[in-house]
Amino acid sequence: MLVPYEWLKEFVPGLPPADEVARVLTMAGVAVEALTGEGEDAVFDFEITHNRPDLLNVFGLAREAAAVFSLPLRHPELAVPEEGGAAEGMASVEIAAPGLCRRYIARIVTDVKIGPSPGWMQARLASSGVRPINNIVDVTNYVMLEVGQPLHAFDLDLVGGRRIVVRRAAPGESITTIDGEQRRLSEDMLVIADADRPVAVAGVMGGLETEVSERTKAVLLESANFDGVSVWRTSRALRMRTEASSRFSRGLWPENARIGVDRAAALIAAIGAGKIALGMLDAYPGREAPVYVTLRPRRVNHLLGTNIPAEEMKDILMRLGFIIESKDGDAYRVLVPDHRRDVSREEDLVEEIARLHGYDRIEATLPEGAPPEVRLDPARQVASRAGEILRACGLSEVETITFTNFEACRELRLPEDEVERRAVKISNPLSSDYTMMRTTLLTSLLDVLKRNAARREDDVAIYEIARVYLRREREDAPGSARGDSLPGSGSACEDLLPCEPTKIGLAVMGRIAEPSWERGAADAGFFDLKGIVETLLEGLGVRGARFVAASHPSLHPGRTARVVVAGDGDGSDGDIGDIGFLGELHPDVREALGLRKRACVAELDLASILAARDPVPRVKPLARFPAVTRDMAIVVRRDVASAEVRDEIAAAGADLVEDVRLFDVYEGPQVPEGHRSLAFSITYRSPERTLTDEEVEKAHRAISAALTEKLGATVRE
Amino acid sequence: MRDDVEKIISQAAAEVSAASSLAELDEVRVRYLGKKGRITAALRSLGACPPEERPALGKLLNEARESVEAMLTRRRDEVAALERAKALEAERVDVTLPGTRPPVGARHPIRMVYEELEEIFGRMGFEVAEGPEVELDYYNFEALNVPKNHPSRDIQDTFYISDEVVLRTHTTCVDVRVMKGRKPPVRAIIPGKVYRSDASDPSHLPVFHQLDGFAVDEGITFGDLKGTLARFAREFFGADTKVRFRPSYFPFTEPSAEMDVSCVICHGRGCRVCKNTGWLEILGSGLFHPKVLEAVGYDPEKVSGLAFGMGADRIAMLKYGIDDIRLLAENDMRFNRQFLHINPAHIVHASREG
């Protein structure tokens, strides 16, 4: 809010120079965002906090500055030179909706001479950012800026029946406001009506038909107090934010209506814009009881950690217009001034005392006593470790926007009915790009690949550990979202919230390592990403993860795997669960995204990893006896999974097989059509003794026989 | 015979020093010390000498053999060193060729900031808590003294899912969730994403990051708030960082304060980033409003709490000299990869001349 320094100084003549005013008021909580101009021509731009509508005007700021600087305050001239007939006989005012209008004052101005307002008034309006219009309208704007009371001037001769009724709009009513827009009104909106029709939207904007014009001879000057919540809702519904509506929304006090109307009348008379009729029409059904707050100086010091004397506290409050009425023991009864509707309990006084005493004078301390024990969340620790492993594998961390849209899901060929069913949709989205929360990290990670590819960056290896958002379905156990696991939030409403599982997402496009002059560099493929996933799972203490051929709408049908792992190890047979998937991007999806190089992605569920972790890993004793390593090459049908062969080797070798490592896969002329050769290196070892050649040979032959019998394999010599 | 022996030795010496490879040395050895070598032959022919000369001659020949062997050994070491040197010379590389680097991924600056904040506050006994991002209106607003259908909702532009459910506009709602399940003393920080319906521009994103924190106990004071946050500022921005507290307004704290730190760019002398004020606005804070304490079942007469909230994006931008918040969400690899070389131990900002 722009306020000229000289206007402020009119009310507080002793004010120090503008830059000091700016500095001191800012440190007292009245923030000056900018100071422009020099000396007496300086203009402040105040940023007024939401709790202080009383500061949205020059006089309110002057009152605050006088309190802060302990300077005397001058009040605006409110004496009204009344003449002619009584207002009573010239119009009537009725409040039909007293819940929404605490007070409505009307003064009548006769013998109106519309013309420009005086230069000094125009100058102050201009430096406050308001365009001058004519003397009557300028006075209403000037008074709003000066004392914070929105006013409206009606052409009295155009007000039907010279009658003002403050009521809710009737069904189907509408009004053309002074900006020329036709507004449809609803029954929860408060209007100012004449005998026939609405003539203003209360507290928001006046009507075009009763607007003051060149021809106006008499004016009805409105100064009212409307319910802030009602004005706020109406201005939102009509999408009209005006100076008046924002002031009413933030809360005005009924006593200010009297100050506003008298100040306006005094100015109209002073500048010769009209004559002020005797008295006023004052409907005041909402007179408020005075507000008292208890002040206990001990408690103030207890909360602030200070030793401010009670006398200083009283002095501060009195400077701010509070009245110390009485004392009961250690407690004072403090009367809150009308304009401080934000103060309703003792803590509010604590802030008043603290800010005028000076926050900078309060000593900085640390909380007493030993800090409480810190509880570590295993999920956070695992996530942090996962990040370390993935960075060591060459993947960079990304932090993506959690929104997506249907089109992006369609691009990834995600099934529409599932997206529709599970996605959390935003009812007031900002743009068509961000209409819902993501259901998978794929949308976000592939968006990163797409953006980078568009910038000719074709080698991208990334990961993100973040949440996806899934609308709760009946089978989802309540409390499966991380945030829900907090105790004590057990309201039934929690069911309205989606699940927010944390996922580990990986995406690799092109090369992972920098190309080397010595060794060149190949683009990463399925097995590079699988290797990273294996490294990750092992590093997190998940043993026995298995990869099973699978399908996923976004992925290559022959290069997709589910990652399956033994569950929490409680021994039950069905204790196997999916912890995620990985695969190469489907070429159609890759083309749709404009990626030039192949890309592989994976998504793993953090909670499942946590459940599958070896809970208490222990160091194994080092082997005391030597190992024997023997190779075995077999030819099997192409559709026999290598994992199946490996498992068979481990099973047939009984306790002597320590490790089975695949080191070669061959398909070609020397192998029959539809078959392939797999070469394994098998490590035999006993924890109890050195194995003899005979024992190893026997085990090796048993394995060979089992592979032949169970998998139809031919063992190559 | 004696002369012969000396001749043999001197010839052997000449041949040993002439040999320039291990193979040639071996030939010399065979020629003198082999089964048919000259010294071996001489020793074998000792029987043909007169018996009284044999001991002296034998001794002489043995000495000759030892001397030749010593020469051979010495020369072998020399030649081996020469050959090794030659081989090494052949393996010489251009050490200025680039090294073969293992791939290493970079951290995201937001995560680095969070990790550092968690460490700093962890040392002061704050645990890390989390809560839902899709949140009940109750926790996001009502429990924090922002009633439904109230003009104070204008302070933040909110994404709604339904009448009862919003995308949280701050992480402060988790304060309420944590306190509700616990008895004081509790100290916690809450990192996480928050949402406001602001269009993207160099300083706004609809999704950004906050860190809220609070400490509730008997006897927590405004002075404790100042001390805790000043310590954070010094540990995070550097030991010479100054702080100041300005009165402000938040519905859920009373008294409320904004904390400024001395500008990390110009150290208080005035620059573009601090708009020539020398100060940077860093966080909002205060003592919990009694209504918030009441909402979680605490007695405000007995318990008080300090609370604060800051934007992690803004802090990352200040700490790492990032001038556009959108860089933090775009994940342009040319940006992300720079954080391979930047870590929290750096205070990365322009020089004092900035």
Side-chain angles (χ1 to χ4, degrees):
Chain A
M1 190 179 62
L2 299 176
V3 174
Y5 172 64
E6 54 86 17
W7 198 350
L8 208 56
K9 210 170 168 181
E10 181 183 323
F11 299 114
V12 193
L15 223 46
D19 52 349
E20 197 189 335
V21 172
R23 188 179 55 78
V24 173
L25 286 185
T26 298
M27 293 308 289
V30 187
V32 175
E33 284 290 291
L35 179 61
T36 51
E38 297 282 327
E40 297 296 298
D41 296 329
V43 176
F44 302 104
D45 187 358
F46 284 103
E47 169 101 11
I48 303 300
T49 53
H50 210 266
N51 59 328
R52 294 298 304 274
D54 63 300
L55 297 182
L56 291 169
N57 59 81
V58 179
F59 178 68
L61 286 162
R63 182 167 47 204
E64 188 78 4
V68 170
F69 288 101
S70 283
L71 290 169
L73 176 72
R74 282 191 193 162
H75 286 259
E77 180 56 61
L78 296 178
V80 182
E82 298 170 340
E83 51 187 316
E88 289 278 348
M90 298 180 191
S92 69
V93 168
E94 180 197 340
I95 298 176
L100 301 184
C101 178
R102 273 189 280 279
R103 189 176 196 182
Y104 194 102
I105 306 178
R107 270 191 181 272
I108 307 298
V109 186
T110 60
D111 303 285
V112 170
K113 289 187 283 291
I114 298 292
S117 58
W120 61 265
M121 186 178 282
Q122 293 199 19
R124 279 188 172 173
L125 289 176
S127 55
S128 308
V130 176
R131 191 167 53 91
I133 295 170
N134 62 45
N135 47 8
I136 296 292
V137 174
D138 287 358
V139 164
T140 61
N141 283 330
Y142 185 89
V143 170
M144 180 169 69
L145 293 174
E146 190 180 53
V147 300
Q149 178 65 37
L151 302 169
H152 185 67
F154 294 99
D155 185 327
L156 181 59
D157 296 324
L158 301 177
V159 174
R162 296 175 170 254
R163 187 173 139 79
I164 291 289
V165 183
V166 185
R167 60 165 169 86
R168 289 170 190 270
E173 266 185 331
S174 66
I175 183 174
T176 304
T177 43
I178 54 177
D179 55 6
E181 294 283 321
Q182 166 112 7
R183 313 277 180 178
R184 293 184 58 83
L185 303 171
S186 61
E187 289 162 71
D188 55 354
M189 294 177 181
L190 189 70
V191 297
I192 313 303
D194 63 10
D196 319 306
R197 60 196 168 149
V199 291
V201 183
V204 182
M205 196 179 272
L208 189 63
E209 291 176 25
T210 52
E211 192 188 16
V212 170
S213 73
E214 309 272 304
R215 295 181 299 281
T216 301
K217 292 282 172 274
V219 162
L220 182 145
L221 202 55
E222 165 197 295
S223 184
N225 185 274
F226 301 115
D227 178 64
V229 173
S230 161
V231 171
W232 177 69
R233 284 191 206 167
T234 302
S235 79
R236 265 169 52 121
L238 295 176
R239 296 179 189 283
M240 294 168 83
R241 282 188 71 149
T242 61
E243 285 288 330
S245 74
S246 69
R247 282 180 164 78
F248 280 118
S249 297
R250 288 167 71 169
L252 290 174
W253 56 106
E255 288 304 314
N256 207 45
R258 175 68 196 269
I259 292 169
V261 80
D262 284 352
R263 179 64 182 147
L267 280 168
I268 287 170
I271 67 173
K275 291 180 181 168
I276 312 301
L278 219 59
M280 65 186 80
L281 306 161
D282 185 0
Y284 196 173
R287 200 179 288 273
E288 290 172 325
V291 177
Y292 289 95
V293 180
T294 301
L295 173 74
R296 292 166 294 172
R298 271 171 60 100
R299 177 154 171 81
V300 175
N301 282 323
H302 182 70
L303 279 173
L304 294 178
T306 50
N307 287 305
I308 303 171
E311 286 311 307
E312 186 188 338
M313 295 186 193
K314 282 161 65 184
D315 174 61
I316 286 170
L317 292 177
M318 285 188 294
R319 272 151 59 196
L320 287 166
F322 292 84
I323 294 167
I324 316 293
E325 288 224 330
S326 57
K327 191 179 177 192
D328 177 17
D330 289 339
Y332 295 90
R333 193 166 127 97
V334 178
L335 175 64
V336 178
D338 287 333
H339 61 275
R340 293 303 305 274
R341 294 165 54 90
D342 60 305
V343 174
S344 62
R345 41 196 304 176
E346 193 175 28
E347 282 73 11
D348 300 321
L349 297 181
V350 173
E351 179 171 276
E352 294 306 296
I353 290 162
R355 73 187 179 91
L356 261 71
H357 173 75
Y359 278 10
D360 53 349
R361 290 171 61 200
I362 297 172
E363 193 195 343
T365 51
L366 287 174
E368 279 178 18
E373 281 176 30
V374 169
R375 300 184 192 178
L376 294 177
D377 176 356
R380 292 187 61 82
Q381 290 175 297
V382 167
S384 160
R385 178 76 188 118
E388 286 170 20
I389 294 167
L390 293 172
R391 290 195 297 283
C393 289
L395 273 56
S396 284
E397 188 171 45
V398 295
E399 187 69 38
T400 58
I401 301 266
T402 48
F403 294 135
T404 186
N405 60 67
F406 276 102
E407 187 47 44
C409 295
R410 207 169 292 135
E411 219 167 39
L412 300 195
R413 317 199 322 166
L414 298 175
E416 279 185 40
D417 53 337
E418 198 182 311
V419 172
E420 180 66 44
R421 202 174 74 244
R422 304 242 39 192
V424 176
K425 290 177 218 85
I426 296 156
S427 69
N428 57 335
L430 204 58
S431 76
S432 57
D433 290 344
Y434 297 152
T435 56
M436 60 193 207
M437 308 297 286
R438 66 184 172 205
T439 58
T440 163
L441 290 181
L442 290 194
T443 41
S444 302
L445 295 178
L446 290 172
D447 188 53
V448 173
L449 298 191
K450 182 179 168 178
R451 284 160 180 271
N452 279 281
R455 290 169 184 158
R456 313 296 300 181
E457 180 65 62
D458 293 323
D459 303 304
V460 178
I462 53 173
Y463 78 91
E464 180 169 21
I465 304 173
R467 300 182 195 182
V468 301
Y469 310 84
L470 299 170
R471 216 147 77 188
R472 215 175 278 279
E473 295 194 312
R474 217 168 305 143
E475 59 266 30
D476 295 326
S480 57
R482 300 253 328 265
D484 295 7
S485 60
L486 288 160
S489 55
S491 128
C493 294
E494 297 287 323
D495 294 344
L496 297 170
L497 298 181
C499 310
E500 298 184 11
T502 297
K503 303 284 182 181
I504 303 177
L506 290 68
V508 171
M509 170 172 77
R511 293 185 302 254
I512 298 179
E514 286 288 302
S516 144
W517 58 267
E518 198 176 20
R519 270 171 235 155
D523 287 349
F526 178 89
F527 293 103
D528 291 289
L529 189 67
K530 183 181 172 186
I532 292 171
V533 169
E534 289 170 326
T535 305
L536 174 67
L537 293 176
E538 278 176 24
L540 296 180
V542 175
R543 294 192 208 292
R546 303 181 64 88
F547 296 78
V548 182
S551 67
H552 183 287
S554 310
L555 302 181
H556 189 306
R559 297 184 175 186
T560 301
R562 284 189 300 133
V563 186
V564 182
V565 76
D568 59 21
D570 66 4
S572 61
D573 275 348
D575 196 20
I576 295 281
D578 256 28
I579 64 168
F581 62 86
L582 79 157
E584 184 179 310
L585 209 56
H586 194 290
D588 291 352
V589 175
R590 180 162 66 86
E591 280 161 28
L593 293 171
L595 310 184
R596 282 173 294 275
K597 289 190 174 182
R598 285 174 188 253
C600 293
V601 294
E603 186 177 72
L604 306 168
D605 181 64
L606 184 66
S608 305
I609 288 175
L610 213 60
R613 251 176 352 146
D614 190 354
V616 193
R618 292 205 185 281
V619 172
K620 284 184 195 148
L622 301 183
R624 291 170 54 208
F625 300 97
V628 178
T629 301
R630 300 273 297 264
D631 293 348
M632 180 181 287
I634 62 160
V635 174
V636 278
R637 283 194 325 277
R638 201 175 185 277
D639 60 3
V640 175
S642 78
E644 214 178 322
V645 180
R646 192 197 54 216
D647 290 351
E648 197 52 58
I649 292 172
D655 297 341
L656 299 186
V657 173
E658 184 185 68
D659 189 32
V660 182
R661 200 168 52 80
L662 178 93
F663 68 89
D664 189 44
V665 180
Y666 175 77
E667 277 176 69
Q670 286 129 42
V671 174
E673 182 76 20
H675 287 62
R676 60 179 174 167
S677 157
L678 302 173
F680 291 91
S681 171
I682 305 169
T683 305
Y684 298 92
R685 196 200 299 268
S686 161
E688 284 135 19
R689 62 185 187 282
T690 301
L691 292 176
T692 63
D693 283 351
E694 290 73 39
E695 282 175 301
V696 173
E697 183 56 30
K698 197 175 151 209
H700 207 64
R701 241 183 277 130
I703 289 169
S704 160
L707 295 182
T708 309
E709 188 192 330
K710 295 196 177 153
L711 301 175
T714 316
V715 178
R716 306 209 308 178
E717 293 308 324
Chain B
M1 187 71 188
R2 196 172 288 270
D3 291 349
D4 285 351
V5 171
E6 280 185 4
K7 203 169 160 194
I8 288 171
I9 289 173
S10 70
Q11 279 172 353
E15 282 178 45
V16 165
S17 47
S20 62
S21 71
L22 291 176
E24 279 175 41
L25 269 181
D26 215 41
E27 283 168 26
V28 175
R29 200 188 65 80
V30 169
R31 223 162 19 246
Y32 290 88
L33 304 177
K35 281 185 182 154
K36 292 175 183 165
R38 292 174 66 184
I39 295 174
T40 319
L43 275 165
R44 214 175 274 141
S45 66
L46 214 56
C49 293
E52 67 279 11
E53 286 180 21
R54 274 182 215 162
L57 206 51
K59 189 172 172 251
L60 195 65
L61 278 170
N62 273 326
E63 281 170 3
R65 191 175 64 188
E66 279 165 19
S67 147
V68 171
E69 262 171 4
M71 285 191 287
L72 279 167
T73 304
R74 208 161 43 239
R75 184 61 186 156
R76 180 173 288 118
D77 288 351
E78 283 170 22
V79 169
L82 279 172
E83 284 196 351
R84 170 59 62 89
K86 217 192 241 166
L88 291 180
E89 182 55 33
E91 284 180 0
R92 177 179 289 278
V93 298
D94 174 0
V95 297
T96 67
L97 283 169
T100 308
R101 299 183 184 205
V104 179
R107 287 221 82 170
H108 192 279
I110 289 287
R111 293 287 141 203
M112 289 200 303
V113 162
Y114 272 145
E115 188 173 301
E116 205 185 347
L117 293 174
E118 286 166 19
E119 279 173 17
I120 290 172
F121 284 105
R123 285 194 287 270
M124 290 192 267
F126 286 77
E127 64 186 62
V128 182
E130 289 181 293
E133 291 168 30
V134 185
E135 180 59 290
L136 292 172
D137 185 278
Y138 172 78
Y139 286 110
N140 195 74
F141 289 121
E142 287 173 68
L144 293 171
N145 196 26
V146 182
K148 243 185 167 170
N149 286 319
H150 193 271
S152 52
R153 296 243 170 156
D154 275 354
I155 300 178
Q156 294 161 2
D157 293 318
T158 310
F159 284 117
Y160 283 87
I161 302 301
S162 66
D163 281 348
E164 296 298 330
V165 179
V166 301
L167 298 185
R168 68 180 179 198
T169 58
H170 43 210
T171 42
T172 319
C173 30
V174 187
D175 297 12
V176 178
R177 283 182 176 270
V178 173
M179 285 192 286
K180 229 177 156 177
R182 302 266 287 273
K183 284 200 170 68
V186 186
R187 292 183 197 176
I189 50 169
I190 300 101
K193 291 186 167 70
V194 299
Y195 300 82
R196 307 239 177 118
S197 60
D198 287 329
S200 300
D201 68 28
S203 47
H204 295 90
L205 279 176
V207 186
F208 55 104
H209 301 82
Q210 280 191 344
L211 182 101
D212 256 74
F214 69 91
V216 282
D217 199 355
E218 291 175 13
I220 295 274
T221 69
F222 193 81
D224 295 338
L225 173 77
K226 283 185 68 177
T228 301
L229 293 176
R231 175 161 153 173
F232 142 71
R234 287 193 302 271
E235 290 196 17
F236 189 85
F237 289 110
D240 56 352
T241 305
K242 293 182 184 60
V243 297
R244 70 173 192 186
F245 290 81
R246 284 182 290 109
S248 187
Y249 170 71
F250 306 103
F252 36 86
T253 50
E254 190 78 43
S256 301
E258 271 182 280
M259 184 176 88
D260 300 336
V261 297
S262 48
C263 180
V264 299
I265 310 290
C266 65
H267 301 274
R269 297 188 325 175
C271 68
R272 191 175 55 84
V273 174
C274 64
K275 294 180 194 147
N276 279 311
T277 61
W279 295 97
L280 295 167
E281 202 177 306
I282 288 296
L283 57 77
S285 65
L287 297 183
F288 271 127
H289 195 288
K291 281 188 186 167
V292 175
L293 297 173
E294 282 161 6
V296 299
Y298 294 173
D299 178 358
E301 285 290 320
K302 290 202 180 118
V303 172
S304 53
L306 63 86
F308 53 89
M310 63 187 96
D313 307 79
R314 175 168 164 77
I315 283 179
M317 289 168 75
L318 289 173
K319 182 142 186 165
Y320 299 118
I322 300 162
D323 60 2
D324 189 329
I325 192 173
R326 291 171 296 192
L327 285 168
L328 293 170
E330 263 169 15
N331 300 295
D332 185 323
M333 285 298 121
R334 294 169 300 176
F335 172 82
N336 290 46
R337 281 191 194 127
Q338 292 184 39
F339 289 88
L340 277 173
H341 322 295
I342 301 174
N343 64 58
H346 294 98
I347 303 286
V348 180
H349 50 63
S351 72
R352 280 167 184 267
E353 304 310 309

